[in-house]
Amino acid sequence: MARSKDKSPRTPKEPGRLKQMWQVFQMTRRYDSNIVLFMILGFLVPVVIGLAFALLLTPDNGFTIALWIVAGVLGGVLAMLIILGRRAEKAAYSQIEGQPGAVGAVLRSSLKRGWVGSEMPVAVNGKTQDAVYRAVGRGGVVLISEGPRTRTARMLDEEKRSVAKVGGNVAVTVIAVGPDADAVPLHKLARRLTKIKPTLTKAEVLAVNNRLNSMTKKLPIPKGVDPTKARPQRGN
């Protein structure tokens, strides 16, 4: 009698790079109707520039003209990928903008090098779900409010005083993310942090962050959202 062989379940293969890019493109196109136009322009501009250089600099050398055209095509492909990445990030964050925990999702997944932050807010209004988050980097301490300014102003003032007690003369910057007209859009939050003028060294960043964490009380985080796992809504 033949023995039945135990077949271990096969782990599903992850999609290839091209398939992943196609999925990102499809997701982005649902929320950004201009993505195709921007990508086409991003591809054509380097190609046209390469062709123009070829005809101006070496009009009689076919090999050099071909090299310029190839360089233009490669530059166009790179430009398309950059545009797709930027627009995809914007589309992903547009799905969660305005939801409790959205700022925490950015701090968890999109902080640039040299910055330390947490998806856990340092202050929360249990009734309105407004919150204040904190990030520490070369630019000092940044307090990020999530919600209307009129409702988060008091929490921000309290956190400023707390930072002043622990951080001393460390620079404190306030950024508002919410429905106010002058608020920072969610998809621009990470880049906004990098524009703050550096005032601390790497060692000072760690020291300030450790001191602030030691005095921070653990709070129930608003039920956050992950932009990479957000389910796309159906278009109208």
Side-chain angles (χ1 to χ4, degrees):
M1 183 174 181
R3 295 182 180 179
S4 60
K5 297 181 179 179
D6 295 333
K7 295 184 179 180
S8 58
R10 296 181 179 179
T11 56
K13 293 183 179 180
E14 295 184 359
R17 183 63 58 87
L18 291 178
K19 187 174 182 179
Q20 289 178 353
M21 291 174 58
W22 176 250
Q23 291 173 346
V24 171
F25 171 75
Q26 293 283 48
M27 183 277 293
T28 306
R29 193 170 60 173
R30 292 192 188 98
Y31 298 91
D32 188 350
S33 59
N34 295 321
I35 181 63
V36 176
L37 175 61
F38 280 112
M39 291 182 68
I40 291 175
L41 291 175
F43 176 77
L44 291 178
V45 169
V47 173
V48 171
I49 293 175
L51 183 59
F53 273 110
L55 295 178
L56 290 174
L57 299 179
T58 56
D60 300 325
N61 191 327
F63 179 74
T64 306
I65 291 176
L67 289 180
W68 275 108
I69 294 176
V70 171
V73 171
L74 293 177
V77 173
L78 178 61
M80 287 177 61
L81 294 177
I82 293 174
I83 291 172
L84 176 60
R86 293 288 180 86
R87 308 291 288 193
E89 182 183 33
K90 182 178 179 181
Y93 282 125
S94 69
Q95 299 177 50
I96 64 173
E97 193 161 11
Q99 298 183 31
V103 170
V106 175
L107 297 183
R108 180 183 66 241
S109 61
S110 299
L111 275 185
K112 304 298 181 181
R113 185 176 180 181
W115 284 90
V116 182
S118 172
E119 64 177 329
M120 178 72 72
V122 293
V124 177
N125 185 320
K127 294 182 179 179
T128 63
Q129 293 296 296
D130 299 326
V132 173
Y133 296 81
R134 185 178 65 226
V136 183
R138 296 289 304 279
V141 177
V142 179
L143 299 176
I144 307 162
S145 63
E146 184 179 72
R149 290 180 186 272
T150 54
R151 299 203 306 242
T152 58
R154 183 175 178 179
M155 288 191 295
L156 283 171
D157 290 338
E158 293 177 354
E159 289 305 316
K160 284 182 183 178
R161 290 193 290 268
S162 298
V163 172
K165 292 179 182 178
V166 178
N169 296 325
V170 176
V172 178
T173 304
V174 175
I175 297 177
V177 175
D180 302 284
D182 58 345
V184 176
L186 189 65
H187 69 278
K188 293 184 178 180
L189 177 57
R191 290 196 292 272
R192 174 67 178 83
L193 293 179
T194 62
K195 295 181 180 180
I196 300 175
K197 183 179 179 180
T199 57
L200 300 177
T201 65
K202 293 182 180 180
E204 289 172 336
V205 170
L206 293 176
V208 170
N209 185 61
N210 290 335
R211 290 202 301 268
L212 291 174
N213 286 338
S214 65
M215 55 152 271
T216 301
K217 297 179 180 179
K218 291 185 178 181
L219 298 172
I221 184 174
K223 190 175 182 180
V225 282
D226 189 341
T228 61
K229 298 179 181 179
R231 298 180 63 182
Q233 302 173 356
R234 294 181 179 178
N236 295 326

